[in-house]
Amino acid sequence: LSFAGTTAILDGFEPVPGVRTIKEKFTSCYLVETRRGKVLLVDAGMDNKAEAIKKALAAWGLRADAVEAILLTHGHSDHTGGVLAFPQARVYALEADVPLVEGRAGSDSPMGRLMGAKPTGISVNKVIRDGQTIKIGNQTVRVYSVPGHTKGSAVYLVRGVLFMGDSADSLKQGGISGAKWLCSESRKVNHESLKALAVRVKDAGVKVLAFAHSGAVAGLKPLEDFAAKQ
């Protein structure tokens, strides 16, 4: 997969206190402190041993059992690979992506149609919905549905960081782009979702936009600028 033109992922970067970037090859996931000695994961990388995640946990003086929740932005395998390495964690996903996460259905993207469906062994035990606010430890998580990359793509707002998954990327020349066409079910729907999201989070206290395949950027303006062009 090529991600030419996007900003670099910085392993270990903390966009705000209590949030740590974990780089794994061409993708990333995030640790978020929830309470003393506990964290949540936003996505879980592609490595079924979750070695990069465990290394990041160790840097915070934590073990694998510190992960109390995994928030999946969507069900592609480069985001769900490490889930089973944390059997104690509750797994969150939007209902529309549960079959994709669990491997009972494939993605309706150009690449997804080639790959088909394959059972993952993962069980989503916390099905969430658009607009829901959930509490994990001492942290409040706001859930936004942003279909387009997949039917059940989600964006999460935690600690002032808006976790975008694959629904957008930051660009070297500035600004952001929408989801990559090769792995997306509908770029048109994705762009419409991002436009709506910009309005929904306008007064939500977004400090940073964080992405799965590119570096984080400060503030909400890059999303607002993208939305204004749609």
Side-chain angles (χ1 to χ4, degrees):
L1 290 176
S2 174
F3 298 99
T6 58
T7 59
I9 301 166
L10 301 178
D11 188 45
F13 176 64
E14 298 190 8
V16 300
V19 176
R20 184 182 181 93
T21 307
I22 305 166
K23 181 180 179 181
E24 186 186 289
K25 295 183 180 178
F26 58 82
T27 192
S28 64
C29 54
Y30 297 87
L31 288 181
V32 181
E33 289 181 340
T34 53
R35 54 195 171 102
R36 185 175 179 83
K38 293 293 181 181
V39 298
L40 65 80
L41 272 174
V42 179
D43 290 329
M46 65 181 76
D47 175 17
N48 58 14
K49 295 182 180 178
E51 290 180 354
I53 297 172
K54 291 174 181 176
K55 181 179 177 181
L57 286 166
W60 274 1
L62 302 173
R63 301 182 306 180
D65 59 6
V67 180
E68 60 180 335
I70 301 173
L71 307 178
L72 296 175
T73 60
H74 62 291
H76 288 163
S77 60
D78 56 330
H79 298 258
T80 64
V83 168
L84 296 179
F86 306 98
Q88 75 290 339
R90 303 183 300 277
V91 181
Y92 293 74
L94 286 174
E95 184 174 8
D97 254 33
V98 171
L100 185 59
V101 172
E102 297 181 349
R104 294 182 281 108
S107 173
D108 191 26
S109 67
M111 180 172 285
R113 288 192 290 273
L114 287 173
M115 295 178 66
K118 181 180 179 181
T120 62
I122 299 169
S123 294
V124 176
N125 43 39
K126 293 291 181 179
V127 179
I128 48 179
R129 64 182 185 276
D130 179 43
Q132 189 172 359
T133 299
I134 56 180
K135 195 81 170 178
I136 301 176
N138 297 324
Q139 295 302 316
T140 298
V141 179
R142 297 184 186 181
V143 181
Y144 302 94
S145 174
V146 287
H149 183 62
T150 63
K151 295 178 182 64
S153 285
V155 164
Y156 301 103
L157 179 60
V158 198
R159 284 183 170 264
V161 180
L162 195 64
F163 294 99
M164 306 285 288
D166 285 7
S167 291
D169 276 300
S170 59
L171 302 174
K172 289 179 181 177
Q173 70 266 30
I176 68 171
S177 65
K180 297 288 188 295
W181 74 270
L182 183 63
C183 304
S184 297
E185 298 182 0
S186 172
R187 291 190 75 197
K188 180 177 185 293
V189 173
N190 166 254
H191 291 184
E192 291 170 350
S193 294
L194 293 175
K195 183 177 180 179
L197 179 67
V199 175
R200 296 180 70 186
V201 300
K202 183 175 179 61
D203 299 313
V206 175
K207 299 175 183 176
V208 176
L209 304 178
F211 311 92
H213 296 292
S214 53
V217 295
L220 187 58
K221 190 174 186 298
L223 177 59
E224 292 177 325
D225 289 346
F226 178 88
K229 298 174 185 176
Q230 304 310 305

